[in-house]
Each structure stands twice: as C-alpha cells, then as structure tokens.
C-alpha cells in the first residue's frame, strides 16, 4: 500500500506591501510533513518577508490563506505559529550566551509553565533527552558563549526540538561552518526528516541547496518563479531562475610579472594559531587562501593587518622589512582589510551610508579649520556610490537598510578609497546572493587589473578556482600547498580540503 504523504503547511495567494513596494505578490508555498524544502532567491526577493509571515511576525495583506495541518488562518501571530510547531533557527542563532546549554535548550518549556521557580532537575532532563534524540553530546553545564559556532547551532536545534518543533526554518545555517560541520548538520537534518519533522532550508550556497533539498522554491522580485524537484535543476539553471540571466564565472587569465613581490612573508608564526607561513604576493595578483575553518586563515590576515602580532617570522612590504604595532601601521604601509564579519567589524550599521563610506578617509574631507567639509564629504561619498555601483535609497539612510551585497560594496569602497597597495579580503562574498557575488568578483578583478595585490580568503573552492591567479591551501595552521590557477580543478581542491 502506498504511503500517504500529507502537507504540514500550505500558503496561498500571499501578498505583502510596504507603501508602494510589493514585497510579496501572489506567492504560494507548500511544505510536506517530513520534507527538506529549500527556499532561494536574491537579496530582496522576498524570502525574509515570507518567513516573517509564516512565523507571525508580519501580517500579510487580506485575501491570502495559511493552512497548518488542515487548520486555516487568515494570518498568524508569533505565539500561534510557535504553538503550532513552527520554529526558526536564525543566522545569529538568538541564544542566551551567558546561560548554560541546558538552560538554552529547555528555556521555552520553563517559560510556558509560567512558574517563578526553576526545576533544575527537569531542565537537565529535557536537555539530556533532546541531545540523545539527536545522537549528540554537549556538556549541559557549559555556557553557550564558550561553544563553537557549530555546537551553538546544535543547541539552537535542540531548543526547537525541546519545544516540539514540527517545522524548523533554518536561515543560512552553514555560513560559519566548516565542511565537516556542514556534513554533520546535514546528517542531523536528514535524521529529523526521517522522524517526520519538516525543514525549510534557506541558503545562498547553491551547491548545498542542491545537496540537501528535495524540492526547491525560487523567489524573484517578490514573486514565486516556481517549485522544482532537485533532479530538475543544476547550479546553472538554478542561478538563471533566481537572476533571470546567465552569470559567467570565467577564470582570470592575467599573467604575473616577474618582479619583486609587494608582500613577502617568511616563516610567520603565532603560537596556537598558525605556523611557519611563507608566501609572496605580487602587484596585480589575486592570491586565494582557502582551507577549513579553524585552519588559521583569519588569524593570519589579522597579523598582516597589525591586529594580531606574530610571535616570530618576518613581513616585507615592497622589499623592506616591516613590523606592525597596530592596524594604523599597516594602513600607512598601504594595506587594507575587509573583515570576515561585515555586520560587526566592517560597518557601523546605525550610521548612514555616507558616514560609513568616508570613515577611513576623514583627513581628505576636512576644511582649513580641521572640521568636516560637508560639501566635500557628499561629493566623495556620491562618487564612491557611483563607482562601486552601490544601490541605496539615499546617502543618509542607515547602512543596515542595504542588502548584503551592497553592504559589502560599502566595506570594499571605504578601504579602496584609502588607495591600498595590498587588499586583504576575508570571506568577501559570505552571506550574499549569487548575482551580488558576481558583481564583487568583477570588482576584485578590476582592482587587480589596476595593480592592487589581493589576498582573497574564501570557504568556496569554486570561488578561488574561478577568480584567483594562485591558490594557497591552509590546513592545521600551516600552508600545505600552493597551486597556479591551471594546476588544480575545483573538484580536486575540494577533495584536498576534506582529506
């Protein structure tokens, strides 16, 4: 007898307007019980708005229909959505860092009981039961802030299971995970699916979407393009459905000039972080640096930028040995650094786009009285917006209102405006959609063609093989291989990272 598969969630004719902007228009979505369903689209396609409607945070326009296990609603509120088993694991995880693992896992149960007294025995019983259900063990007494990102994510998933989740929404769950941690997460998600729990998986990483998803819904400009079984798609077709055009990722073919390297590193070591790192970087070169998280990539980048002094080794800029006591010293020697986390390290989110753009070049916009010349400030910022193709509603809107891709362009623009000779990019396309990635790639290639030396740090094999002249592989805190662009394929590089 054929097994009957039923719907957990059905959305029909979902619309949402913000003023004159249609964030969602006539969107349908259905998620089956025990299904891993992926939701993809460019930034601004409506994914976040749709999730907010599912979780009751945002109310849709009248005329739509929401159905959960056969029960109909015109709209949801957060409590109803939660009690019906719809839970979100946000990209920032939304955990309580100063509370223990057990307290984070069992917190919803304690709150729902509305008791002022904490039943500590019950708290640890709940945590133990849920972790055993997932086949994992994390010390229930340890504070969450002391855990790795991967373990924090597992705690967030455990918290949802402890609250009897029926549909778990994961927003960019792999953005901070190593390849091994991604495999572990996917194994857990497939186990949850086998237990009848539905998963809505949202990601910009199309390889992962095509790996974990059974069906994939594509949104574009607030409208549903379609829902497809993964067997119907490949990365190229999925990219076209999301963007409406074919994006070409062409390997650079620029040859390196035989001359003195602009940056030379000899046996650089920071105990416990990286060991005996040596390499050269030439003007106009894009040098990729890839490896699993924890290999020491960011720590090395921070040492080259004067923010993580090495214990031994030598750094040369334009043939002269340098010693950086701070990032100010690095900047004076022509080094710029775009950090891994643009939200906490690259931008002042509450400040305007204009203020973020000029923050690195304040000396250039001062008048004779050493005060900021507003006219000069506006002119410089407007020129940067034009040059870098930054899409913004205005120069005075907060940086937090921009899409991820445009936020990254602001970070790039503010450092490029310092006229660096060397630019360190740490995960420059993390968390942005495929079209925004392409624009970043074009911009980086343009900078290299203008003579800037680029150290391009990435998690993605496809990214470095398509955009870099040479590629360094870093594992276990050491450089274990350096390859010219034509010496290694994406597949071979991925294999070497995982082995």
């Amino acid at each position: 007898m054929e097994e009957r598969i039923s719907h957990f969630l059905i959305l029909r004719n979902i619309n949402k307007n913000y003023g004159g902007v249609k964030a969602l228009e006539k969107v349908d979505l259905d998620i089956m019980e025990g299904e891993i369903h992926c939701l993809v689209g460019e930034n601004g396609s409506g994914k976040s708005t749709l999730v907010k409607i599912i979780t009751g945070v945002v109310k849709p326009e009248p005329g739509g229909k929401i159905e959960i296990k056969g029960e109909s609603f015109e709209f949801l509120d957060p409590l109803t959505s939660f009690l019906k088993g719809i839970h979100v694991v946000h990209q920032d995880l939304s955990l309580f860092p100063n509370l223990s693992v057990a307290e984070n896992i069992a917190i919803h149960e304690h709150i729902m009981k509305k008791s002022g007294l904490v039943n500590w025995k019950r708290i640890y019983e709940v945590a133990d039961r849920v972790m055993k259900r997932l086949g994992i063990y994390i010390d229930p007494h340890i504070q969450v802030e002391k855990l790795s990102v991967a373990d924090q994510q597992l705690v967030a998933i455990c918290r949802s299971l402890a609250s009897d989740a029926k549909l778990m929404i994961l927003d960019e769950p792999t953005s901070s995970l190593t390849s091994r941690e991604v495999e572990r997460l996917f194994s857990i998600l497939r186990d949850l699916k086998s237990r009848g729990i539905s998963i809505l998986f949202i990601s910009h990483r199309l390889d992962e979407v095509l790996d974990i998803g059974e069906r994939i819904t594509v949104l574009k400009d607030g409208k549903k393009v379609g829902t497809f079984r993964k067997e119907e798609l490949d990365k190229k077709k999925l990219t076209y459905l999301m963007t409406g055009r074919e994006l070409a990722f062409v390997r650079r073919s620029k040859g390196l000039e035989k001359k003195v390297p602009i940056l030379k590193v000899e046996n650089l070591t920071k105990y416990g972080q990286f060991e005996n790192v040596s390499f050269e970087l030439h003007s106009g070169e894009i040098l990729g640096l890839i490896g699993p998280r924890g290999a020491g990539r960011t720590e090395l980048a921070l040492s080259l930028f004067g923010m993580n002094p090495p214990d031994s080794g030598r750094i040369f800029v334009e043939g002269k040995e340098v010693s950086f006591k701070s990032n100010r010293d690095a900047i004076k020697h022509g080094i710029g650094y775009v950090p891994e986390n643009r939200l906490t390290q690259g931008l002042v989110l509450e400040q305007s786009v204009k203020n973020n753009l000029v923050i690195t070049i304040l000396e250039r916009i001062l008048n004779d009285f050493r005060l900021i010349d507003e006219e000069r400030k506006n002119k410089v910022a407007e020129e940067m917006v034009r040059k870098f193709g930054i899409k913004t509603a205005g120069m005075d809107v907060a940086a937090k209102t921009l899409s991820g891709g445009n936020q990254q362009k602001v970070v790039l623009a503010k450092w490029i405006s310092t006229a660096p000779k060397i630019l360190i990019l740490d995960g420059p396309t993390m968390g942005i959609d495929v079209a925004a990635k392409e624009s970043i790639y074009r911009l980086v290639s343009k900078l290299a063609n203008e003579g800037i030396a680029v150290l391009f740090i990435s998690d993605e094999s496809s990214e470095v093989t398509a955009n870099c002249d040479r590629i360094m592989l870093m594992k276990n805190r050491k450089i274990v291989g350096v390859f010219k662009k034509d010496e290694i394929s994406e597949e071979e590089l991925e294999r070497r990272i995982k082995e």
Side-chain angles (χ1 to χ4, degrees), residues 22-34:
K22 292 185 177 182
L24 291 174
E25 184 177 358
K26 298 179 180 179
V27 171
D28 297 340
L29 177 70
D30 61 274
I31 300 174
M32 315 300 288
E33 288 186 315

Side-chain angles (χ1 to χ4, degrees), residues 87-136:
H87 296 207
V88 183
V89 178
H90 294 283
Q91 190 172 1
D92 64 3
L93 301 179
S94 299
L95 296 171
F96 297 94
N98 59 328
L99 297 184
S100 71
V101 167
E103 289 170 297
N104 270 278
I105 291 174
I107 193 164
H108 288 145
E109 178 172 302
H110 174 69
I111 291 172
M112 296 305 290
K113 285 188 175 180
K114 300 179 181 178
S115 172
L117 299 175
V118 178
N119 184 339
W120 289 107
K121 181 180 179 182
R122 178 62 181 163
I123 293 285
Y124 286 99
E125 283 177 351
V126 169
D128 183 63
R129 170 175 54 81
V130 175
M131 284 194 283
K132 281 182 178 177
R133 183 179 174 188
L134 285 180
I136 64 172

Side-chain angles (χ1 to χ4, degrees), residues 204-445:
H204 290 307
R205 295 184 170 183
L206 302 189
D207 290 331
E208 293 176 355
V209 166
L210 292 167
D211 179 8
I212 192 67
E214 297 170 87
R215 292 190 299 151
I216 301 165
T217 292
V218 182
L219 296 182
K220 184 177 186 298
D221 299 328
K223 298 178 182 178
K224 177 181 173 180
V225 176
T227 297
F228 310 87
R229 295 204 64 80
K230 74 173 178 181
E231 294 82 8
E232 302 175 66
L233 301 172
D234 56 24
K235 191 172 180 180
K236 183 177 180 180
K237 184 174 180 180
L238 186 52
T239 298
Y240 180 78
L241 291 169
M242 290 169 56
T243 64
R245 64 187 191 275
E246 292 188 6
L247 303 182
F249 301 97
V250 182
R251 293 172 75 115
R252 277 169 46 87
S253 58
K254 186 180 188 305
L256 296 180
E257 300 175 29
K258 300 293 183 181
K259 58 181 181 181
V260 175
I262 191 167
L263 175 68
K264 184 177 180 180
V265 175
E266 289 184 353
N267 299 316
L268 208 64
T269 296
K270 178 77 171 181
Y271 298 117
Q273 296 183 9
F274 53 85
E275 301 172 22
N276 297 320
V277 172
S278 298
F279 66 90
E280 295 181 353
L281 176 61
H282 294 79
S283 296
E285 179 185 20
I286 302 177
L287 176 61
L289 177 58
I290 193 169
R293 287 187 173 271
R297 300 171 309 170
T298 294
E299 293 82 358
L300 173 62
L302 290 172
S303 288
L304 298 175
F305 193 57
M307 297 179 68
N308 184 33
D311 295 313
S312 62
R314 306 168 79 188
I315 300 173
F316 299 84
V317 175
E318 296 184 296
K320 297 180 181 179
E321 187 170 0
V322 296
S323 177
F324 301 144
K325 295 180 180 178
S326 70
N327 59 342
R328 289 176 179 268
D329 290 341
I331 293 169
K332 287 177 183 177
H333 282 84
I335 299 178
Y337 174 60
V338 175
E340 183 177 30
N341 191 330
R342 63 177 174 270
L343 298 182
T344 59
Q345 299 170 305
L347 294 169
V348 185
L349 290 172
E350 301 297 330
Q351 286 291 320
S352 68
V353 171
K354 177 167 56 181
N355 286 346
N356 273 278
L357 284 168
V358 302
I359 196 169
T360 56
I361 53 167
L362 292 177
E363 286 291 326
R364 290 194 217 163
I365 59 172
L366 299 180
N367 60 24
D368 294 339
F369 300 100
R370 304 295 292 171
L371 299 173
I372 291 176
D373 184 321
E374 289 296 328
E375 184 176 347
R376 192 178 304 170
K377 175 182 174 182
N378 291 334
K379 185 176 180 181
V380 168
E382 287 169 3
E383 172 61 19
M384 291 163 74
V385 165
R386 184 195 63 76
K387 180 178 179 181
F388 293 96
I390 299 167
K391 294 180 181 178
T392 174
M395 302 299 296
D396 294 311
V397 302
K400 66 181 181 182
T401 66
L402 301 184
S403 69
N406 284 296
Q407 286 179 346
Q408 193 70 313
K409 286 182 181 179
V410 170
V411 180
L412 280 165
K414 78 174 188 179
W415 281 111
I416 293 166
S417 66
T418 65
K421 300 170 185 174
I422 302 163
L423 187 60
I424 302 170
L425 305 178
D426 194 352
T429 65
M430 185 179 294
I432 63 177
D433 63 57
V434 64
K437 283 184 177 183
E438 187 202 30
S439 67
I440 296 294
Y441 299 151
R442 287 199 306 266
L443 177 57
V444 172
S445 181

Side-chain angles (χ1 to χ4, degrees), residues 8-174:
F8 175 78
L9 176 70
I10 298 174
L11 303 180
R12 293 288 180 265
N13 193 35
I14 300 298
N15 296 273
K16 182 60 187 177
N17 303 329
Y18 291 103
V21 178
K22 292 185 177 182
L24 291 174
E25 184 177 358
K26 298 179 180 179
V27 171
D28 297 340
L29 177 70
D30 61 274
I31 300 174
M32 315 300 288
E33 288 186 315
E35 176 190 27
I36 300 178
H37 193 117
C38 293
L39 180 64
V40 300
E42 296 182 83
N43 291 327
S45 63
K47 301 189 304 295
S48 296
T49 302
L50 188 60
V51 168
K52 288 175 182 176
I53 287 172
I54 294 171
T55 55
V57 175
V58 166
K59 184 177 177 180
E61 307 302 326
K65 175 185 175 184
I66 302 173
E67 189 175 295
I68 302 174
K69 291 286 290 178
E71 185 177 356
S72 294
F73 302 85
E74 187 177 343
F75 61 87
L76 297 169
D77 60 72
L79 181 59
T80 300
S81 178
F82 181 83
L83 293 176
K84 292 297 179 182
I86 299 174
H87 296 207
V88 183
V89 178
H90 294 283
Q91 190 172 1
D92 64 3
L93 301 179
S94 299
L95 296 171
F96 297 94
N98 59 328
L99 297 184
S100 71
V101 167
E103 289 170 297
N104 270 278
I105 291 174
I107 193 164
H108 288 145
E109 178 172 302
H110 174 69
I111 291 172
M112 296 305 290
K113 285 188 175 180
K114 300 179 181 178
S115 172
L117 299 175
V118 178
N119 184 339
W120 289 107
K121 181 180 179 182
R122 178 62 181 163
I123 293 285
Y124 286 99
E125 283 177 351
V126 169
D128 183 63
R129 170 175 54 81
V130 175
M131 284 194 283
K132 281 182 178 177
R133 183 179 174 188
L134 285 180
I136 64 172
Y137 178 78
I138 302 170
D139 184 350
H141 299 88
I142 194 171
Q143 283 185 321
V144 160
E145 64 186 356
K146 296 179 181 178
L147 299 178
S148 68
V149 173
D151 281 346
Q152 287 184 21
Q153 192 168 69
L154 293 180
V155 171
I157 291 172
C158 286
R159 181 177 61 185
S160 293
L161 290 179
S163 304
D164 199 24
K166 302 291 194 305
L167 168 62
M168 201 175 295
I169 302 173
L170 280 73
D171 185 9
E172 295 289 346
T174 64

